[in-house]
């Protein structure tokens, strides 16, 4: 049953949803509904019939939930206009990488806290195993390998910033706002919606996205063999590059299966879109931190 | 003030919101004596905050032309013109329409 992605009320049909949007956006100029339409459907006003068609298409094609999430992720981050952070990662400067380190430490700590909430609330053993394994890889380390969190800090150190300095820097407002979005999801939504909100984001490093239409990889893989970058940078990037290719796909399979079982497909779609918006904001925060470190970076990013 | 959003003139109901170019909604705000069309109150607030910040930083009493490129996701790179002067900047807003990031581009 169609759900309003902002109010989260259920409506009886796509026509009813279109009428709801028409009333909220066109008659009341409600900023939340207008913004949702601008970001997801079109910036151009539509009549009810056209809006009904567009909304139905948006939410029902492709029908497979895992594929739908992949497609929306690509459109948002890897489409005709890839996210500026992804573009910057094709040839990252020291400022870009340090911005990544400083903001991502906060993201990663929050990540494992939210995954812990999924473990606490789910009644599915495979989900528990998956999340505990992910917490181990991200924050604890495994098979004598350092965690992603530790590799991130080492990357920052290799770029000339001390561990103490990295750990002392609070998140930018945009990172804090994104983290609050994910915390709110974890506090108010089911474990499944929380799982979908988080693990859909791991698609960012999934190399198979190119097969589904992504215009760029997460970063230029030649970095991994380049002499331009310290070994610690390559170690951090390689971990994500090798880990997330099957990882995100495994999560999407579980999300799809349990969404069907629990009758939460539309709710999952709505929360995934919210999470993507927060993620976009957060990726930009990594760049903004880079602007502080390298003032010229802003011109390279936006006027290249 | 002439306003160009992502390559198209904006600021009227027909042409679109003065900040984002959208034609949804209908909200008007008077900016420097000019009635401008916005898709919602948040866009209007963001626009007036941005114009105020540019005028304050440059000590201008108005802006003749404002070219805006970008969107909510990536922020906006802009060029403001007043008489013969030109001022380039990057701006990003928070969820309440306030300025979160404002950087001059030399």
């Amino acid at each position: 049953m169609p759900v309003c992605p902002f109010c989260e009320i259920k409506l009886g049909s796509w026509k009813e949803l279109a009428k709801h949007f028409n009333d909220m956006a066109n008659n009341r100029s409600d900023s939340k509904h207008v913004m949702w339409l601008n970001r997801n459907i079109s910036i151009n006003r539509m009549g009810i019939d056209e809006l009904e068609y567009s909304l139905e298409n948006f939410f029902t094609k492709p029908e497979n939930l895992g594929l739908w999430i992949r497609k929306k992720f690509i459109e948002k981050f890897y489409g005709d206009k890839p996210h500026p952070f992804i573009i910057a990662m094709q040839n990252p400067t020291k400022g870009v990488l340090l911005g990544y380190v400083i903001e991502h430490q906060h993201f990663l700590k929050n990540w494992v806290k939210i995954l812990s909430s999924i473990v606490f609330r789910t009644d599915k053993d495979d989900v528990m195993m998956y999340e505990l394994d992910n917490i181990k890889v991200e924050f604890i380390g495994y098979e004598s390998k350092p965690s992603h969190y530790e590799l991130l800090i080492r990357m920052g150190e290799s770029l000339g910033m001390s561990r103490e300095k990295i750990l002392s820097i609070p998140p930018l407002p945009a990172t804090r706002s994104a983290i609050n979005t994910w915390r709110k999801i974890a506090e108010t939504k089911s474990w499944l919606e929380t799982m979908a909100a988080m693990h859909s984001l791991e698609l960012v490093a999934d190399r198979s996205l190119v097969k589904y239409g992504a215009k760029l990889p997460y970063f230029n893989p030649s970095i991994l063999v380049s002499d331009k970058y310290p070994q610690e940078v390559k170690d951090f990037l390689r971990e994500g590059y090798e880990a997330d290719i099957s990882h995100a796909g495994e999560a999407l399979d579980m999300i799809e299966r349990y969404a069907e079982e629990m009758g939460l497909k539309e709710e999952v779609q709505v929360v995934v879109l919210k999470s993507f918006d927060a993620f976009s904001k957060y990726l930009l925060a990594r760049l903004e931190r880079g602007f502080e470190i390298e003032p010229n970076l802003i011109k390279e990013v936006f006027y290249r | 003030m002439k306003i160009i959003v992502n390559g198209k003139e904006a600021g009227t109901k027909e042409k679109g919101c003065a900040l984002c170019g959208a034609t949804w909604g209908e909200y008007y705000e008077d900016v420097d004596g000019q009635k401008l069309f916005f898709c919602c109150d948040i866009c209007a607030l963001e626009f007036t905050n941005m114009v105020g910040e540019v005028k304050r930083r440059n000590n201008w009493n108005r802006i003749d032309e404002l070219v805006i490129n970008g969107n909510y996701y990536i922020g906006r790179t802009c060029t403001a013109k007043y008489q013969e002067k030109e001022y380039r900047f990057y701006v990003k807003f928070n969820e309440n329409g306030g300025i979160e990031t404002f950087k001059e581009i030399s």
Side-chain angles (χ1 to χ4, degrees):
Chain A
M1 188 179 283
V3 175
C4 170
F6 178 69
C7 311
E8 300 185 14
I9 53 169
K10 292 190 176 184
L11 292 132
S13 65
W14 296 109
K15 174 77 84 186
E16 289 302 311
L17 181 59
K19 284 181 181 170
H20 169 74
F21 261 112
N22 182 62
D23 182 41
M24 297 304 286
N26 287 335
N27 299 339
R28 303 190 202 188
S29 291
D30 176 74
S31 60
K32 301 295 183 188
H33 289 79
V34 168
M35 284 179 194
W36 192 91
L37 289 168
N38 280 344
R39 293 171 197 172
N40 294 287
I41 302 295
S42 169
I43 65 165
N44 299 316
R45 177 189 281 248
M46 295 175 185
I48 290 174
D49 290 345
E50 192 184 359
L51 188 51
E52 175 192 1
Y53 176 80
S54 299
L55 287 166
E56 184 172 0
N57 253 340
F58 180 85
F59 282 108
T60 61
K61 290 179 184 171
E63 195 181 341
N64 173 295
L65 180 59
L67 201 54
W68 185 89
I69 292 172
R70 275 183 195 276
K71 188 169 169 281
K72 294 301 174 207
F73 192 90
I74 290 168
E75 283 171 7
K76 197 82 80 181
F77 298 99
Y78 284 104
D80 292 334
K81 288 184 180 171
H83 193 284
F85 180 77
I86 309 288
I87 295 173
M89 281 301 287
Q90 303 309 305
N91 188 20
T93 62
K94 184 175 168 182
V96 170
L97 293 168
L98 278 174
Y100 192 162
V101 171
I102 292 165
E103 298 307 307
H104 200 49
Q105 60 172 321
H106 303 291
F107 176 94
L108 276 181
K109 276 190 180 171
N110 184 62
W111 177 266
V112 295
K113 287 180 187 180
I114 293 189
L115 265 46
S116 305
S117 83
I118 300 169
V119 174
F120 177 67
R121 289 179 298 149
T122 186
D123 56 348
K124 308 293 182 190
D125 287 356
D126 56 348
V127 171
M128 277 181 70
M129 290 291 285
Y130 181 82
E131 299 300 1
L132 288 168
D133 189 55
N134 195 220
I135 289 168
K136 190 172 66 178
V137 170
E138 296 293 348
F139 204 65
I140 299 169
Y142 62 105
E143 294 169 2
S144 76
K145 287 186 185 172
S147 65
H148 285 181
Y149 181 77
E150 175 59 25
L151 289 171
L152 178 79
I153 306 297
R154 288 182 192 177
M155 173 162 87
E157 288 178 306
S158 78
L159 295 164
M161 189 173 278
S162 73
R163 179 173 293 255
E164 291 70 28
K165 174 75 177 166
I166 294 166
L167 298 177
S168 71
I169 301 175
L172 284 174
T175 298
R176 199 184 296 278
S177 166
I179 284 173
N180 286 340
T181 298
W182 293 312
R183 293 185 71 81
K184 193 174 171 197
I185 288 169
E187 285 162 7
T188 59
K189 302 292 179 190
S190 66
W191 65 263
L192 177 65
E193 289 159 279
T194 308
M195 186 181 186
M198 303 315 287
H199 291 292
S200 57
L201 305 180
E202 288 184 300
L203 286 169
V204 75
D206 186 331
R207 279 175 287 158
S208 73
L209 283 193
V210 174
K211 194 174 73 184
Y212 294 93
K215 307 283 184 199
L216 291 173
Y218 182 42
F219 60 87
N220 186 340
S222 69
I223 293 170
L224 297 176
V225 290
S226 166
D227 294 333
K228 263 177 67 183
Y229 298 93
Q231 187 58 42
E232 289 82 354
V233 171
K234 294 184 250 185
D235 289 345
F236 173 76
L237 293 177
R238 183 179 290 109
E239 272 296 300
Y241 190 66
E242 289 174 354
D244 284 339
I245 187 162
S246 58
H247 193 71
E250 194 184 340
L252 291 183
D253 287 346
M254 277 194 267
I255 290 160
E256 190 175 310
R257 184 156 38 90
Y258 289 124
E260 181 75 34
E261 187 181 307
M262 296 160 73
L264 286 176
K265 182 180 175 184
E266 290 80 9
E267 287 79 358
V268 164
Q269 289 176 307
V270 166
V271 86
V272 160
L273 294 171
K274 279 191 181 144
S275 184
F276 287 176
D277 277 1
F279 193 57
S280 180
K281 184 183 294 186
Y282 161 65
L283 288 183
L284 197 62
R286 291 180 183 175
L287 271 184
E288 281 190 67
R289 185 64 81 181
F291 299 159
E292 289 179 1
I293 296 162
E294 272 176 22
N296 267 340
L297 184 60
I298 194 164
K299 278 198 273 188
E300 286 173 36
V301 168
F302 291 112
Y303 293 94
R304 68 179 76 226
Chain B
M1 175 173 18
K2 184 179 178 184
I3 301 157
I4 310 285
V5 176
N6 293 322
K8 289 182 184 167
E9 194 165 348
T12 64
K13 185 170 168 56
E14 294 71 31
K15 291 175 178 169
C17 172
L19 185 77
C20 71
T23 50
W24 300 104
E26 189 162 6
Y27 187 91
Y28 293 92
E29 189 79 46
D30 188 286
V31 181
D32 292 346
Q34 186 178 358
K35 187 183 175 189
L36 292 176
F37 170 84
F38 296 93
C39 61
C40 65
D41 58 339
I42 293 291
C43 274
L45 182 59
E46 290 175 351
F47 187 89
T48 50
N49 282 337
M50 177 172 72
V51 165
E53 186 69 15
V54 170
K55 288 190 331 193
R56 188 186 67 77
R57 284 176 181 245
N58 291 284
N59 206 20
W60 294 350
N61 58 16
R62 67 167 200 277
I63 295 172
D64 295 330
E65 186 178 322
L66 188 53
V67 178
I68 304 168
N69 285 302
N71 57 37
Y72 160 82
Y73 289 112
I74 62 170
R76 292 171 168 92
T77 50
C78 310
T79 304
K81 292 177 187 169
Y82 172 59
Q83 296 175 342
E84 301 304 311
K85 297 169 193 154
E86 194 173 282
Y87 178 70
R88 294 199 303 165
F89 60 98
Y90 169 80
V91 65
K92 191 163 74 72
F93 303 98
N94 62 27
E95 282 162 14
N96 304 317
I99 292 174
E100 187 169 272
T101 306
F102 191 102
K103 290 192 182 295
E104 295 183 13
I105 299 171
S106 52

